[in-house]
Amino acid sequence: MGPKTAKVYETIRARLASGEYAPGDKMPSERTLSEELSIGRTALRQVLARLLAEGALEVRGRSSYRVPGAVSVDKPEGLEPWIIHGERDLYDNRWVKLQLWDVEPPGVERFEHHVVKLHHVAVTAVLDDQDRVLMMWRYRFVPQQWGWELPGGIVDEGEAPAATALREVVEETGWRPKSVEHIVTYQPMVGMVDSPHEIFVGHGAEKVGDPTDLEEAGHIEWVPLADITGLMARGELMGSGTLVALLHILASRGKQGVTAAH
């Protein structure tokens, strides 16, 4: 991409990240985008093709682009949540809090349930223009295993998760993403553990130095996306955040391939 197409790419990416183009929305026509962004139709199609390849857009028909994420299922109604009568701490330090909650499910006798509270976390998959993802080969002593991970870490108090995502990539790899886009927030063990995980995808990166977090940094490599399913089959992808981010990317691209085939 030349400077003009790269700028248009970043502009559309920013609109998608901000929600200006929301999930399920039909994108403006090529003519409208071409005029609004002062770019030729041929160059614009290069930008749109890259966004399609990244799963940021999907195509309907020959040239009707939409933002993925529209759903047809409705939320069920008339169901009652559990009643929480109280909670008490059993153990608490800077890393983990263990509690007992007095809970009452609908139609069930109340009981005490263990709850573990961990930190708020941000994880980022950074992609380059060669369909590679920035990963680290690390040893985790709890499972006593080596494996590939995405950069990520704890969201500091008062810090925006997107800022954490950027900061952790730089600290752990020495690369700085040009932009990050929030994909999903999820809980890795929803039945007992409270630890919100924010997943981001970054696009493009520049080398800004060596990793500064020596405890977290491992061997750093740009891993081809084509290798991800094989690494998964070998059990070498570590952590739910890594799996969720990479599965999102593969699913988005797979969906695009199915859509284009139709």
Side-chain angles (χ1 to χ4, degrees):
M1 281 189 177
K4 180 62 177 179
T5 52
K7 182 178 180 181
V8 170
Y9 167 82
E10 296 295 343
T11 297
I12 296 177
R13 263 283 171 199
R15 291 179 180 182
L16 290 166
S18 69
E20 181 177 342
Y21 302 146
D25 281 357
K26 183 178 179 180
M27 291 287 290
S29 68
E30 287 185 1
R31 175 179 294 180
T32 300
L33 287 172
S34 178
E35 293 174 354
E36 179 186 350
L37 300 173
S38 301
I39 187 173
R41 296 280 284 275
T42 300
L44 175 63
R45 285 172 183 155
Q46 293 178 9
V47 173
L48 295 173
R50 178 175 175 183
L51 292 168
L52 286 170
E54 293 172 351
L57 295 178
E58 60 186 22
V59 67
R60 303 286 179 89
R62 294 185 61 186
S63 59
S64 178
Y65 300 93
R66 290 184 181 272
V67 183
V71 297
S72 60
V73 63
D74 294 327
K75 293 181 181 179
E77 297 182 355
L79 301 176
E80 297 294 329
W82 289 24
I83 299 173
I84 301 172
H85 295 284
E87 60 187 59
R88 58 190 176 94
D89 293 348
L90 299 180
Y91 176 80
D92 187 11
N93 72 7
R94 60 176 296 198
W95 300 109
V96 60
K97 177 185 288 189
L98 175 62
Q99 298 179 310
L100 272 178
W101 287 24
D102 181 1
V103 298
E104 183 179 356
V108 178
E109 187 174 340
R110 61 194 284 186
F111 61 92
E112 286 193 316
H113 192 293
H114 284 88
V115 173
V116 179
K117 287 186 172 288
L118 303 177
H119 285 285
H120 188 184
V121 173
V123 177
T124 307
V126 182
L127 300 171
D128 68 3
D129 58 4
Q130 300 179 53
D131 277 348
R132 300 180 303 178
V133 61
L134 184 62
M135 302 194 74
M136 303 175 296
W137 177 255
R138 298 187 56 195
Y139 182 75
R140 289 295 189 179
F141 74 90
V142 175
Q144 300 180 42
Q145 180 181 344
W146 289 92
W148 293 102
E149 290 185 27
L150 297 174
I154 294 170
V155 179
D156 291 339
E157 185 175 354
E159 184 178 35
T164 305
L166 285 167
R167 174 175 57 77
E168 290 289 341
V169 173
V170 175
E171 290 178 357
E172 294 185 357
T173 71
W175 290 82
R176 182 186 300 279
K178 294 180 180 178
S179 64
V180 293
E181 174 187 359
H182 182 260
I183 299 302
V184 67
T185 301
Y186 78 100
Q187 293 275 7
M189 295 180 64
V190 70
M192 184 177 291
V193 177
D194 178 19
S195 177
H197 279 46
E198 311 271 4
I199 303 300
F200 293 84
V201 174
H203 297 277
E206 60 176 344
K207 188 79 162 105
V208 295
D210 294 325
T212 58
D213 191 336
L214 298 182
E215 179 184 352
E216 296 290 336
H219 172 76
I220 299 159
E221 189 163 328
W222 288 94
V223 176
L225 285 177
D227 289 352
I228 295 303
T229 53
L231 294 174
M232 189 182 307
R234 291 189 342 203
E236 293 182 3
L237 298 182
M238 302 264 280
S240 64
T242 292
L243 286 165
V244 169
L246 294 176
L247 287 172
H248 165 81
I249 292 168
L250 295 181
S252 297
R253 296 187 175 210
K255 181 178 179 182
Q256 178 53 44
V258 170
T259 304
H262 287 292

